[in-house]
Each structure stands twice: as C-alpha cells, then as structure tokens.
Amino acid sequence: MLVAAAVCPCPPLLVPEVASGAAPELDGLRGACDTALGAVLAARPDLLWVVGPDAEHISFEDGGTGTFGPFGVDLAVTLGRTGSTEPLPASLSVGAWLLARAGWDGPAKGLAVPDYLEPDLCAANGVRLAESAARVGLLVLGEGSARRTLKAPGYLDERADGFDAAAARGLATADSGGELSAMDDELAFELMASGRAPWQVLSGAASGALDAELLYQDAPYGVGYFVASWT
C-alpha cells in the first residue's frame, strides 16, 4: 500500500556539484525536495520506489549505480543497498542523490518510464508498485513543459502554461479531480513534459487515498518544476 510520495523535478542541475556556480539559484527547489522527501521517510515505508522518465521502460529491482560523469562531475550514487552495478538513467541518478541527501538507508528500487507509455499502462505500473510491500513510499521524478518561454529548451508553446496549470492542480490535490490521470500523452510529448508518465504512475498507485500539498511551482530556465508531498 502506498503510504506517502514525494514529487520532485530531476534536472542534473539539482546536484550542486553539477550546477557549480549556479547552484544557489536552485536552493529553494532543493529545500522543497528535502521537505517532501522527509515526509516520505517519516511515514516509515518498508520499501521506497524511485520513478522517473527515461527512453526505455525498465525496472531496477536490485538497485543500481548512477554517475554524473556525463555532466562533467566525478560523482557516483547508488540506489538501494544491494551494490548492483546496473547503470541508472539520469533521472534515477538524481533520485538516488536525493535519497542519499535525505539519509535514507532502507531498501530502494527504481522504475524508468518512457514518454510513449500509455496512461492506462502507467496506472497499472502504479498499482504494481503500491502492492509491492505493506508500506510503500514513492519518489516520483519529472518536469512539466519545457516550452514555457522563448529561451526554454523547446522554445515557447502557448499551450504550455495551461498544461502545467493542470499538472499543478493535480499534484496539489492528489489528483482528486483526475488532472494527472487524464493528461494527454501526445500533448505532453509535444510540450516536452517528462513528468507526464511518472505522475500517472503515481496517480495509479495512490488511487486518491492521500492528502497533498504543492510545495514548489516555478519555471526556471523555461521548464515547469513542481514539488509536492502526498501523505
């Protein structure tokens, strides 16, 4: 059963060593992530799943190892306690870093979900995760539209603000109104919103049974970043 979840974005810049001189710009975001993840740890889950976007649909049942070498930083992170050397995608590497920062030393597994995964399959993945232990915690990673401004990675798209506003409502209400579960996967793809599939996994796992609080909402660099706590 899902007992708590933290929703965070997963840009590598969240890691201060990667951000370097720009690190202070995201201090508020890091603090919000710490708060959301602290609530998950306080719920005492038996198992913590890290869910994030990637090109492939893969479960990391035995943890895995991530590196920030591709971003110019000699820093490695490990997910879980098994010592598996299976390479983690970038999103789950950020998740493993957040868990280490929070002091989590319990069992952790990973799930990467691609942007082509259909909403009903995302929900089914969420049900599976919720049933994987008596008390399950989730760290759900992903961003809103990357087309919020002219300087955004995907340039400006006028649909981006409305899409992200619906995401914020869903994250702030534990998807009680169905904003997350109803997200259009094709529109999300066009808006470069990496959080769509992970958020729909969360919605499937929670089934509207949790309270929610939106802790952070902004679009630095033209990308929608959200932090939410579901408990």
Side-chain angles (χ1 to χ4, degrees):
M1 180 180 71
L2 180 66
V3 294
V7 176
C8 300
C10 53
L13 288 175
L14 200 59
V15 180
E17 292 88 339
V18 175
S20 188
E25 297 177 7
L26 296 181
D27 280 346
L29 175 60
R30 293 186 193 96
C33 291
D34 292 342
T35 298
L37 197 47
V40 175
L41 272 56
R44 297 177 172 268
D46 300 317
L47 172 63
L48 206 154
W49 280 93
V50 180
V51 182
D54 190 42
E56 303 295 333
H57 189 197
I58 306 173
S59 286
F60 295 82
E61 298 284 346
D62 297 317
T65 300
T67 176
F68 293 96
F71 306 101
V73 175
D74 184 18
L75 175 65
V77 291
T78 300
L79 182 63
R81 301 182 298 189
T82 63
S84 169
T85 58
E86 188 172 7
L88 295 172
S91 66
L92 300 190
S93 295
V94 172
W97 177 83
L98 283 170
L99 287 184
R101 175 180 167 97
W104 174 253
D105 61 358
K109 301 181 179 183
L111 176 67
V113 287
D115 56 19
Y116 61 77
L117 197 67
E118 297 175 354
D120 58 340
L121 294 179
C122 291
N125 273 254
V127 171
R128 176 175 70 85
L129 299 191
E131 294 177 346
S132 62
R135 297 181 63 81
V136 174
L138 291 183
L139 170 56
V140 181
L141 302 158
E143 285 104 46
S145 176
R147 307 189 68 175
R148 291 278 295 272
T149 67
L150 293 174
K151 294 184 178 181
Y155 196 65
L156 176 65
D157 190 308
E158 293 181 354
R159 302 170 296 175
D161 283 347
F163 180 92
D164 279 3
R169 289 193 299 272
L171 293 172
T173 61
D175 203 28
S176 61
E179 288 92 350
L180 302 181
S181 56
M183 278 185 165
D184 185 281
D185 51 343
E186 293 185 6
L187 176 59
F189 177 80
E190 293 172 5
L191 294 177
M192 303 172 64
S194 67
R196 189 277 306 174
W199 296 338
Q200 289 182 332
V201 171
L202 169 61
S203 180
S207 300
L210 301 175
D211 295 324
E213 181 180 3
L214 187 64
L215 302 174
Y216 183 98
Q217 177 183 359
D218 202 356
Y221 320 121
V223 182
Y225 290 168
F226 306 95
V227 178
S229 175
W230 291 20
T231 55

